[in-house]
Each structure stands twice: as C-alpha cells, then as structure tokens.
Amino acid sequence: MTVTIEVSYAGPAGLRHDYEAELKVGGLFVRVAPPAGLPPFAAVTVLLCLPGADPVAAPARLTFATPESLCVEIDAEARPALGAAVAALCAGVAAAPARTGVRLLTGVRLLTGAPPAPAAPPAPAIDPIAAAVEAAAAATAQPPAPAPPAEAVPARPEHAARDAGRLPLAQRIQVLSVSEKMKLAMQGDRDARALLARDRAGPVQVGLVRNPKLTLDEAQALARNPQLAAEAAEALLQHPSWGSSPQIALALVRNPRTPLPLALGLINRLTPADLRVIAKGLNVRTQVAQAARKRLFNT
C-alpha cells in the first residue's frame, strides 16, 4: 500500500512552525484517520504543500497511530534535504501555526518532484542498546584477518562493542534513532525512562506513556514537561489509569503545551479546589482561566 500524508499550509509561517516544533526533531503528528491495515513502522511519504510552490516530499515511517491521528518519523537520510528545502521556502519568515488541511492519499504515486522510494520491509525488532554486543558476537565467528602493521592496527569489533558497553546510558541513548528510542521508552527501566523523558520527540514521549512500568510520579512529570508533545498529551488521556487521574488532568490543564481543546475539555475533571487555583489565572492561559471561572459560577 502506497500511503502519502499531504499537509497543506496557508503560508511559509505554518511550515516553519511545524519544522521547528516537530520535523526538526525527526517526526510529525497529524490528526487524520489512518487507513485500515496500516502496520506499525509502515513506510509512508510526507508531502508538505505551500501555495505557489512545489510540494516538499520526504520519506517516513509510521510510529504511532490512534483511530483519529497518527505520528510518523522522517527517515534520517532525508532530514538534511528536508531542512534545506524548508529553509529555502521560509527564509526570513517567523514561525506561526497555519495548517489549512491534512489529507491521507493511498495508492497514489506523486507527480511532483522525485517519486517516493519503494517501501522497504520493516526491520526486525532489535534491542538497540544491545546491538553492539550482538555485532561483536557475530564478528568473533568470522575467521580472523591478517594483522596489519602495528602502527595501523584498527580497533577490533569486539573491542569497540566492549568499549561502547562501558559508555554511560545517556551517551548510548544519544546515538539511537527516534524509533529506537521509542522502543526503548516502551520497555526501558526507570533510569532509561528518566533520560528519555527529556526527549522532545513525540513518539518517544508516547512510548513512555505506553511503558507498563511507568509510575504516577513519572506520568505527572511528563504531563508538566515544558516540551510536552501533543500526541503525548492525547496518549496520557487515553491511558487506562492516567486518563482518569485528577493529578494528570491538573498538570495537563496548566501546561501551555497541551493543545487548548484538550485543556478546556479537562476543566470538568478538576476538583473545586483546583478550579479555584486555575480561575486565578496565574501561569495559565487566559482561555483556561476563563473556563475555570465559568465552571465555578455554574456549580
């Protein structure tokens, strides 16, 4: 199945906004229903459209989907060209949200620019942090090559793997791709989760929410995160435990990164004491404070 996600903007300000907020860190979140049968990590094409300009196409793959939305990761090899194209289209323009529409096209070959590359089969699930050790084990099974002169002896693979294993966890995580970080976020221990909670990529934050070992304290910290991604806020609300938590609701209402419609919808879940705090308007958006005051007056 050929899948293209077409995102249209009113002008370059909207494209720059999405690039700075999402595409620059490797992903994109869109509110559009995915087609039936689209598997995780399926290859897709992202098509960014501006009026009067050729669309910018970038290969990507699906990382997270709900019945009403999906998140994709831009292929690492395509990110430099995507950044250059956005810079050329948005030179001298300040970022501002200005999407005008999102369409999902299936079975369509792009006629503008280069055609998308054929979808590659999804890579098998591999523990990314243990990859170096596995590579070392495979290398030791090969017959040894003749030793070069002493001054030019390269590092042996098993030595490199051994040295990589000695690196702090933070440094090992830094070299992972967004999809690898997402897999680790869904399975990692508390130390790995604490480091990945600093990541701005939406798929990584969603992976943390889906980790069965995530505690309430960690979920609250994520809900307060000043770099909270929109898809992570939605994932918290859809979680079977955290979605009904009044502490999570309060943290999301107060977080300016929570999409405004979600924050306003959570007002009804707040306790009277929390409503009075929000109604004062301290460090919350004006619309949120007004909704809290209205709720207090109607109770």
Side-chain angles (χ1 to χ4, degrees):
M1 178 189 299
T2 301
V3 177
T4 298
I5 302 169
E6 182 186 82
V7 185
S8 301
Y9 301 93
L15 176 57
R16 179 174 287 279
H17 174 271
D18 273 5
Y19 181 76
E20 296 292 340
E22 302 183 48
L23 293 165
K24 190 174 182 179
V25 294
L28 183 67
F29 173 71
V30 293
R31 296 182 184 278
V32 62
L38 187 65
F41 305 108
V44 300
T45 298
V46 174
L47 194 66
L48 309 173
C49 302
L50 282 178
D54 289 337
V56 178
R61 54 180 170 174
L62 177 69
T63 56
F64 176 73
T66 72
E68 298 85 20
S69 62
L70 55 84
C71 186
V72 299
E73 177 192 4
I74 305 297
D75 288 359
E77 297 81 4
R79 293 176 197 171
L82 176 61
V86 172
L89 290 171
C90 305
V93 177
R99 281 188 192 174
T100 58
V102 178
R103 289 196 305 164
L104 202 64
L105 311 175
T106 59
V108 176
R109 178 175 293 276
L110 301 181
L111 300 179
T112 56
I126 298 175
D127 182 350
I129 295 182
V133 177
E134 294 178 0
T140 54
Q142 302 298 325
E151 64 275 12
V153 175
R156 292 175 60 86
E158 57 267 32
H159 292 173
R162 180 193 61 198
D163 295 340
R166 293 176 179 174
L167 290 175
L169 178 62
Q171 294 184 23
R172 285 184 280 166
I173 287 177
Q174 286 178 356
V175 302
L176 302 181
S177 68
V178 173
S179 60
E180 289 170 335
K181 289 179 183 177
M182 181 182 179
K183 294 176 186 176
L184 180 60
M186 290 189 291
Q187 303 172 0
D189 59 16
R190 192 177 184 93
D191 290 340
R193 297 197 302 270
L195 292 168
L196 291 168
R198 307 172 189 172
D199 201 291
R200 296 177 56 185
V204 177
Q205 296 181 18
V206 170
L208 290 171
V209 177
R210 296 170 66 183
N211 190 317
K213 299 178 183 178
L214 190 75
T215 65
L216 176 59
D217 289 345
E218 291 175 293
Q220 283 184 268
L222 181 60
R224 293 192 298 264
N225 188 343
Q227 302 296 338
L228 179 70
E231 58 264 48
E234 288 197 347
L236 282 167
L237 292 178
Q238 295 170 1
H239 194 277
S241 299
W242 316 137
S244 58
S245 166
Q247 297 98 319
I248 298 296
L250 177 61
L252 290 173
V253 166
R254 303 189 70 168
N255 192 333
R257 294 282 295 183
T258 301
L260 187 58
L262 293 183
L264 295 176
L266 289 171
I267 292 294
N268 293 336
R269 301 190 191 182
L270 299 183
T271 65
D274 289 337
L275 278 172
R276 285 191 288 271
V277 173
I278 297 299
K280 294 178 182 178
L282 298 177
N283 299 321
V284 297
R285 287 168 285 185
T286 302
Q287 302 94 321
V288 172
Q290 290 174 344
R293 289 193 287 268
K294 183 177 179 180
R295 175 67 177 170
L296 281 173
F297 293 150
N298 292 337
T299 56

